[in-house]
Amino acid sequence: MIPDDLDRLVDKLDLESKVRLLTGATVWRTAAEPAIGLEPMVTSDGPAGVRGEGWDERRTSLSLPSATALAATWDESLAMAIGELLAVEARRKGVHVVLAPTLNLHRSPLGGRHFECYSEDPLLTGRIGAAVIRGIQSRGVAATAKHYVANESETDRLTLDARVDERTLREVYLAPFEAAVQAGVWVVMSAYNGVNGATMSENGLLAEPLKGEWGFDGVVVSDWGAVRSTVASARAAQDLAMPGPEGPWGEALVTAVRAGEVPESAIDDKVRRLLRLAARVGALPRSPAPSVVGLSPGDLSPDGLSPDGLSPDGLSPGGPDDRQDRALLRRTVAASTVLLRNEGDLLPLVPARLTRVAVIGPNAARPRTQGAGSAGVYPESLVTPLEGLRTALNGHAEVRHADGVTFGGAPVPLDSATARNPRTGENGLLVRLLDAAGTEIHAEHRFTGRLLEPGGPIHRAVTVEVRALVRPDRAGLWHVAAAGWGRLELAVDGRIVIDETVPRHTDDPATVHLAPPYRTEGVTLEAGREVEIVMRRELVPGGGRACVLAAAPAAADPAAELAAAVELAGSSDVAVVVVGTTEQAESEGVDRETLTLPEGQDELVRAVAAANPATVVVVNSGGPVAMPWRQEVAAVLVGWFPGEEGGNGLADVLLGRAEPGGRLPTTWADRALVPAVPEHGVLEYAEGPHIGYRGWLREQEPPAYWFGHGLGYTTWRYEGLWAPERIASDRPVRVRVMVRNTGPRAGREVVQIYLSRPRDRARPVRWLAGFAAVTAESGERAEAVVELPARAFQHWAGAWCTAEGEVTVHAGRSAADLPLEAVITVSYS
């Protein structure tokens, strides 16, 4: 319940108090105001899960399928259920505001953060995003529509200026955010980038259309560090600057208001919105409060952590173990898996016909379950493809694994499986904070050598030290590595092997705080002889706290690795090859240079397929990859970044326990039509509205797989399309499509409706206007009723307009496979 006297609460505050509320109290918390009963609100990254405040692997979270996977379900009810699960996780961790969903589009397949965005199409993105928002907010937790707007590039993302014409902005990039506002979203996040000459925290688009035309009554929060001015951003419709407590507002904004540079009425509106949000999430009196166990702001270190390094949620190590939640995640994996190819109906596999299954590829045993960057979580456990198949085929067939290739790059961080704490002997690592004299001021046991936020009184520390005992399982050359900004030192059994000062070369927070550069050195170790590895990094201003200690044996002989995989494949009934991207190839903060799979995986697939014609390839990525071997293998599945239940969900699909329900939310091709990287700080959206499948429809050569494509374990025939012959210009339209299941088993079909106006060259060749899913048993018919909103027939010309004349309605299973057509005449009468 929202108090009806927000104005009275605002009036009780003096200018200094009001301005103080508009900057975060910590990295993740807003400020409290006891005078009016306002409690702090806690924010947390989404959308792959709710991490809570700070980064600590001891506080685990449910790891959800990536946003691309969720969009691939084309299922709003499932998306809403995932949103509800995010809200439950938020409540468990004392979080009021989840920083999800991400509503930016897949403008170019080279975009590095596709895994966090839904699709290339504004309608699909808007509908899935709106469903997630409804799910999150149904439990009294705020969702955040981000990053408003035109935030489709990671290169120079803090400073680039996106040049987008007004029609393209309205019809394409603003459309998902408009859908979010219509769904009632409570928070919108302004992006780092600029649009048409003005950075988004100062951009007029925050006022119009967001708060004016659309009527958004919530809070505009900045991306972390995106507010860079005092007067310009405060005069804009930007409401909350995060993080805190430092920032460009504060005392400088108080001075600006008193000097008449910023009207106090603008400050009052921002505070009013903040209080409305607090009431909605239970941080104001007379509203049901989430269960937040915590400390007072004065008990927190600057990052929002309590003195012992645990978050104020009070949770002990360990996380959820709810069978219903895991069942939902497992079901979502199957529902999002896209079957691109299935020659000879190899899939589903029949366990009774299998004696040996080869599972090949590094990603089979060490998959990417989530994308790299700020949205990462720490799952308590995860099921790999190898584990999922071994469990599912236990008692039926032998499942053996070979890597086939070895990924290069930095060594893997040490963890509880590879290191011991030299002080306690427990599996894990010892982390110490040292003062200027080298005296220990804090020590803790950790489970990973990738420490983004060491616990304890970090603000008093000068050095972070990480110690681990490692017992090599093989003799020879090992690579040891350390990462961090500032002075970096690494020693093996007391011998210093790295001593270097690493200067910071970027302001991008994803790099500064999450991905400091590695320094690597080779050392010769004896098998079975335990060594102590110690890294120290200096804490420097602006250098974050992240540090990494890693060690791994030198890569095996590539030819021997490949030969072992080929031999295993040739002696097995079926070979399942799991290929995918690496953190270096697909991550927040970095756009991709190529769609080619890294590290010789294409050669691996071809070699395995030559040895065994019954080869299934599973793609473990967040966005499109090139697949030059796609015609050489029997089956291809896209498994995305599937979250912690990925292995079980994949096994369900491979063995036919569940149908691969996914349809591509983005066109998959071997090349990109538009660039992801700006030139001289400017990214021209010169293609206008023709992104993704819209652009490919204007090309002579088709892509590998069209937007909307996806096979199941049955087949469908499109038998009829019914649409009104004439419609008014401002009314939604309902069309009906009759389909028949012509295959051997029950299934689900996503019926897609596209519109076209062949005589209007300003419009795309076709555009998605609606979709609906149906299910039917073998031989049965099903009718899909698809609602087409009035906006689907409109274009932007300073206002929303509908051109009279004929519109062709296309029905089918992808942007290019559309067997049915009808013509509608649009008129004003």
Side-chain angles (χ1 to χ4, degrees):
M1 177 179 177
I2 299 176
D4 55 9
D5 54 357
L6 293 179
D7 287 338
R8 182 183 61 83
L9 295 178
V10 173
D11 290 342
K12 291 181 66 174
L13 303 175
D14 59 21
L15 178 60
E16 287 81 359
S17 298
K18 288 185 287 190
V19 167
R20 185 177 61 84
L21 295 179
L22 303 182
T23 296
T26 69
V27 172
W28 300 109
R29 290 189 168 209
T30 64
E33 181 46 74
I36 57 174
L38 176 64
E39 300 169 1
M41 288 180 282
V42 177
T43 65
S44 172
D45 277 316
V50 181
R51 188 178 61 250
E53 292 180 280
W55 296 80
D56 192 321
E57 76 284 357
R58 297 169 295 181
R59 297 194 303 278
T60 57
S61 306
L62 285 173
S63 175
L64 279 58
S66 62
T68 41
L70 192 57
T73 68
W74 293 58
D75 187 335
E76 290 163 280
S77 63
L78 190 55
M80 184 169 178
I82 290 295
E84 291 179 12
L85 182 57
L86 282 167
V88 170
E89 280 281 273
R91 288 296 187 100
R92 185 177 73 86
K93 289 176 170 284
V95 168
H96 302 86
V97 180
V98 174
L99 303 177
T102 301
L103 299 179
N104 303 115
L105 300 181
H106 297 175
R107 173 180 171 267
S108 168
L110 295 169
R113 205 173 181 178
H114 276 358
F115 54 83
E116 198 174 313
C117 311
Y118 292 116
S119 85
E120 69 187 19
D121 183 81
L123 179 75
L124 179 59
T125 295
R127 284 179 58 171
I128 297 297
V132 171
I133 289 165
R134 289 193 297 269
I136 294 173
Q137 295 185 172
S138 69
R139 302 297 185 98
V141 175
T144 305
K146 66 182 188 181
H147 309 83
Y148 188 85
V149 62
N151 183 225
E152 278 78 31
S153 172
E154 293 300 287
T155 305
D156 297 336
R157 62 179 180 151
L158 304 186
T159 56
L160 76 83
D161 184 32
R163 302 281 175 83
V164 196
D165 67 84
E166 186 179 12
R167 180 171 179 176
T168 300
L169 258 180
R170 285 284 192 156
E171 294 180 8
V172 181
Y173 297 100
L174 285 170
F177 291 94
E178 184 176 8
V181 174
Q182 291 172 348
V185 72
W186 294 342
V187 181
V188 170
M189 179 185 289
S190 59
Y192 287 123
N193 58 278
V195 173
N196 296 331
T199 190
M200 278 310 304
S201 61
E202 303 170 11
N203 202 292
L205 291 170
L206 296 178
E208 292 293 346
L210 179 60
K211 290 184 175 180
E213 177 187 329
W214 297 349
F216 174 64
D217 68 352
V219 169
V220 174
V221 63
S222 71
D223 205 340
W224 267 227
V227 173
R228 307 178 183 102
S229 66
T230 300
V231 174
S233 59
R235 290 181 64 89
Q238 180 71 51
D239 299 316
L240 176 61
M242 291 295 287
E246 303 302 324
W249 285 0
E251 292 182 7
L253 182 52
V254 171
T255 300
V257 173
R258 288 188 169 141
E261 297 175 296
V262 178
E264 189 165 358
S265 60
I267 304 300
D268 290 347
D269 180 69
K270 300 177 196 300
V271 173
R272 189 180 299 109
R273 288 172 177 272
L274 194 71
L275 296 180
R276 183 180 294 117
L277 173 63
R280 284 168 166 163
V281 301
L284 258 188
R286 291 187 291 169
S287 53
S291 177
V292 181
V293 180
L295 307 168
S296 67
D299 295 326
L300 299 176
S301 61
D303 61 357
L305 297 177
S306 59
D308 63 1
L310 297 178
S311 73
D313 58 24
L315 293 175
S316 59
D321 188 22
D322 188 293
R323 292 184 179 180
Q324 286 186 327
D325 292 344
R326 296 185 75 92
L328 172 61
L329 297 182
R330 182 170 181 167
R331 180 162 61 92
T332 305
V333 172
S336 67
T337 300
V338 183
L339 179 60
L340 297 180
R341 176 178 171 86
N342 192 19
E343 289 300 297
D345 293 332
L346 174 63
L347 297 179
L349 303 173
V350 180
R353 299 176 186 172
L354 302 174
T355 56
R356 175 185 281 188
V357 175
V359 180
I360 295 171
N363 288 58
R366 299 172 297 280
R368 295 194 68 188
T369 57
Q370 58 186 325
S374 59
V377 299
Y378 298 102
E380 183 175 8
S381 62
L382 61 89
V383 183
T384 70
L386 179 61
E387 292 167 340
L389 273 172
R390 278 181 171 161
T391 300
L393 290 173
N394 185 32
H396 294 281
E398 176 189 16
V399 178
R400 296 183 61 187
H401 174 254
D403 274 346
V405 296
T406 300
F407 290 165
V412 177
L414 294 171
D415 58 22
S416 296
T418 55
R420 290 194 308 123
N421 183 324
R423 179 171 291 179
T424 66
E426 300 173 87
N427 291 341
L429 303 92
L430 172 65
V431 178
R432 302 197 306 152
L433 301 183
L434 310 177
D435 64 15
T439 303
E440 178 183 300
I441 58 177
H442 176 79
E444 62 186 5
H445 179 76
R446 299 296 291 261
F447 304 146
T448 177
R450 182 172 182 256
L451 295 154
L452 302 181
E453 289 183 344
I458 193 79
H459 52 288
R460 292 168 44 204
V462 173
T463 303
V464 178
E465 179 190 87
V466 186
R467 289 178 173 263
L469 296 174
V470 176
R471 188 179 301 276
D473 58 0
R474 69 184 76 171
L477 182 66
W478 280 61
H479 295 296
V480 293
W485 305 102
R487 177 76 177 276
L488 197 62
E489 183 181 284
L490 181 65
V492 179
D493 271 351
R495 181 171 69 89
I496 295 177
V497 296
I498 294 174
D499 187 354
E500 184 179 346
T501 298
V502 182
R504 197 186 79 184
H505 58 73
T506 178
D507 291 326
D508 192 320
T511 302
V512 172
H513 298 288
L514 305 179
Y518 279 69
R519 295 295 184 265
T520 305
E521 187 64 38
V523 296
T524 300
L525 301 178
E526 299 177 23
R529 178 183 174 275
E530 196 168 60
V531 296
E532 184 176 40
I533 305 177
V534 180
M535 74 152 289
R536 295 187 181 92
R537 71 147 293 193
E538 173 190 22
L539 294 170
V540 296
R545 304 165 189 179
C547 49
V548 182
L549 177 59
D557 176 56
E561 287 274 314
L562 181 59
V566 169
E567 181 181 359
L568 176 61
S571 62
S572 301
D573 301 304
V574 64
V576 178
V577 186
V578 184
V579 297
T581 57
T582 62
E583 287 197 13
Q584 291 74 35
E586 194 177 12
S587 172
E588 178 182 352
V590 180
D591 290 309
R592 289 194 277 174
E593 296 180 357
T594 176
L595 296 177
T596 301
L597 285 167
E599 310 286 358
Q601 293 179 89
D602 288 336
E603 291 78 7
L604 173 65
V605 171
R606 284 184 159 136
V608 170
N612 189 333
T615 292
V616 180
V617 178
V618 180
V619 180
N620 175 211
S621 71
V625 300
M627 297 178 289
W629 35 257
R630 59 185 177 273
Q631 303 295 333
E632 303 171 34
V633 300
V636 181
L637 289 160
V638 179
W640 311 107
F641 294 154
E644 64 186 63
E645 281 293 312
N648 284 332
L650 176 62
D652 290 342
V653 168
L654 289 172
L655 301 178
R657 297 173 179 174
E659 186 179 38
R663 304 293 185 267
L664 287 181
T666 295
T667 302
W668 280 47
D670 294 334
R671 63 185 177 91
L673 292 181
V674 297
V677 176
E679 292 187 6
H680 309 294
V682 174
L683 188 58
E684 295 281 358
Y685 285 47
E687 71 285 350
H690 306 288
I691 66 169
Y693 68 92
R694 301 175 178 199
W696 279 104
L697 286 168
R698 305 199 305 173
E699 297 288 309
Q700 291 187 350
E701 293 295 323
Y705 297 103
W706 286 94
F707 172 83
H709 174 71
L711 307 174
Y713 288 155
T714 190
T715 55
W716 298 85
R717 183 169 66 239
Y718 281 68
E719 297 186 340
L721 167 63
W722 291 269
E725 294 182 359
R726 184 176 296 273
I727 63 169
S729 62
D730 58 349
R731 296 287 188 270
V733 178
R734 176 176 293 178
V735 301
R736 291 180 167 83
V737 181
M738 186 64 68
V739 295
R740 183 184 297 274
N741 182 346
T742 55
R745 56 185 278 172
R748 173 180 179 265
E749 175 75 340
V750 178
V751 177
Q752 302 165 41
I753 303 295
Y754 296 80
L755 301 181
S756 68
R757 280 184 177 270
R759 298 179 181 178
D760 185 353
R761 295 185 179 181
R763 295 299 300 259
V765 175
R766 285 191 292 277
W767 61 94
L768 182 69
F771 60 89
V774 296
T775 57
E777 297 292 328
S778 175
E780 288 186 348
R781 301 173 76 194
E783 184 182 65
V785 179
V786 186
E787 298 283 346
L788 310 182
R791 180 64 58 79
F793 296 85
Q794 297 173 338
H795 66 276
W796 181 262
W800 288 108
C801 307
T802 307
E804 288 190 295
E806 292 184 348
V807 177
T808 304
V809 181
H810 309 264
R813 55 180 64 88
S814 78
D817 187 358
L818 299 164
L820 302 179
E821 290 185 5
V823 175
I824 295 176
T825 300
V826 180
S827 66
Y828 292 122
S829 56

